[in-house]
Tab-separated table of all heavy atoms in Angstrom:
chain	number	residue	atom	x	y	z
A	312	PRO	N	-118.479	100.263	-61.157
A	312	PRO	CA	-117.219	100.196	-60.610
A	312	PRO	C	-116.258	101.215	-61.308
A	312	PRO	O	-116.321	101.552	-62.442
A	312	PRO	CB	-116.741	98.816	-60.942
A	312	PRO	CG	-117.408	98.431	-62.187
A	312	PRO	CD	-118.757	99.044	-62.102
A	313	VAL	N	-115.339	101.722	-60.455
A	313	VAL	CA	-114.141	102.421	-60.949
A	313	VAL	C	-113.114	101.488	-61.439
A	313	VAL	O	-113.026	100.355	-60.846
A	313	VAL	CB	-113.498	103.375	-59.833
A	313	VAL	CG1	-112.352	104.111	-60.362
A	313	VAL	CG2	-114.573	104.346	-59.353
A	314	PHE	N	-112.437	101.805	-62.577
A	314	PHE	CA	-111.489	100.814	-63.095
A	314	PHE	C	-110.268	101.641	-63.520
A	314	PHE	O	-110.260	102.821	-63.604
A	314	PHE	CB	-112.123	100.004	-64.293
A	314	PHE	CG	-112.737	100.883	-65.315
A	314	PHE	CD1	-111.945	101.417	-66.435
A	314	PHE	CD2	-114.044	101.271	-65.279
A	314	PHE	CE1	-112.467	102.176	-67.355
A	314	PHE	CE2	-114.601	102.085	-66.222
A	314	PHE	CZ	-113.884	102.534	-67.290
A	315	GLN	N	-109.186	100.856	-63.637
A	315	GLN	CA	-107.906	101.480	-64.114
A	315	GLN	C	-108.021	101.887	-65.628
A	315	GLN	O	-108.277	101.022	-66.486
A	315	GLN	CB	-106.763	100.471	-63.997
A	315	GLN	CG	-105.403	100.934	-64.330
A	315	GLN	CD	-105.027	102.011	-63.265
A	315	GLN	OE1	-105.217	101.886	-62.134
A	315	GLN	NE2	-104.278	103.047	-63.757
A	316	LEU	N	-107.845	103.160	-65.821
A	316	LEU	CA	-107.939	103.655	-67.183
A	316	LEU	C	-106.700	103.211	-68.016
A	316	LEU	O	-105.529	103.257	-67.501
A	316	LEU	CB	-108.009	105.219	-67.207
A	316	LEU	CG	-109.209	105.734	-66.471
A	316	LEU	CD1	-109.267	107.298	-66.683
A	316	LEU	CD2	-110.542	105.126	-66.845
A	317	THR	N	-106.868	102.905	-69.270
A	317	THR	CA	-105.776	102.571	-70.112
A	317	THR	C	-105.185	103.900	-70.676
A	317	THR	O	-105.780	104.948	-70.619
A	317	THR	CB	-106.257	101.738	-71.255
A	317	THR	OG1	-107.139	102.528	-72.142
A	317	THR	CG2	-106.906	100.486	-70.881
A	318	ASP	N	-104.013	103.821	-71.155
A	318	ASP	CA	-103.314	104.968	-71.816
A	318	ASP	C	-104.195	105.556	-72.947
A	318	ASP	O	-104.239	106.737	-73.132
A	318	ASP	CB	-101.931	104.644	-72.249
A	318	ASP	CG	-100.955	104.304	-71.177
A	318	ASP	OD1	-101.304	104.770	-69.954
A	318	ASP	OD2	-99.943	103.708	-71.371
A	319	ALA	N	-104.791	104.635	-73.687
A	319	ALA	CA	-105.588	105.033	-74.773
A	319	ALA	C	-106.808	105.830	-74.310
A	319	ALA	O	-107.283	106.817	-74.968
A	319	ALA	CB	-106.024	103.839	-75.581
A	320	MET	N	-107.453	105.494	-73.217
A	320	MET	CA	-108.480	106.158	-72.676
A	320	MET	C	-108.156	107.572	-72.224
A	320	MET	O	-108.837	108.547	-72.500
A	320	MET	CB	-109.134	105.377	-71.478
A	320	MET	CG	-109.895	104.144	-71.823
A	320	MET	SD	-110.468	103.341	-70.368
A	320	MET	CE	-111.536	102.043	-71.111
A	321	ILE	N	-107.019	107.670	-71.510
A	321	ILE	CA	-106.507	108.916	-71.024
A	321	ILE	C	-106.217	109.853	-72.223
A	321	ILE	O	-106.604	111.052	-72.248
A	321	ILE	CB	-105.178	108.732	-70.165
A	321	ILE	CG1	-105.593	107.986	-68.918
A	321	ILE	CG2	-104.671	110.074	-69.845
A	321	ILE	CD1	-104.341	107.447	-68.117
A	322	GLN	N	-105.628	109.315	-73.267
A	322	GLN	CA	-105.350	110.127	-74.429
A	322	GLN	C	-106.687	110.540	-75.115
A	322	GLN	O	-106.703	111.618	-75.627
A	322	GLN	CB	-104.385	109.332	-75.433
A	322	GLN	CG	-104.051	110.071	-76.623
A	322	GLN	CD	-103.190	109.280	-77.586
A	322	GLN	OE1	-102.653	108.289	-77.255
A	322	GLN	NE2	-103.031	109.784	-78.832
A	323	GLY	N	-107.593	109.572	-75.213
A	323	GLY	CA	-108.840	109.849	-75.842
A	323	GLY	C	-109.551	111.002	-75.207
A	323	GLY	O	-110.164	111.908	-75.844
Side-chain angles (χ1 to χ4, degrees):
V313 176
F314 52 91
Q315 184 68 39
L316 302 186
T317 65
D318 291 341
M320 289 178 172
I321 295 172
Q322 180 181 347

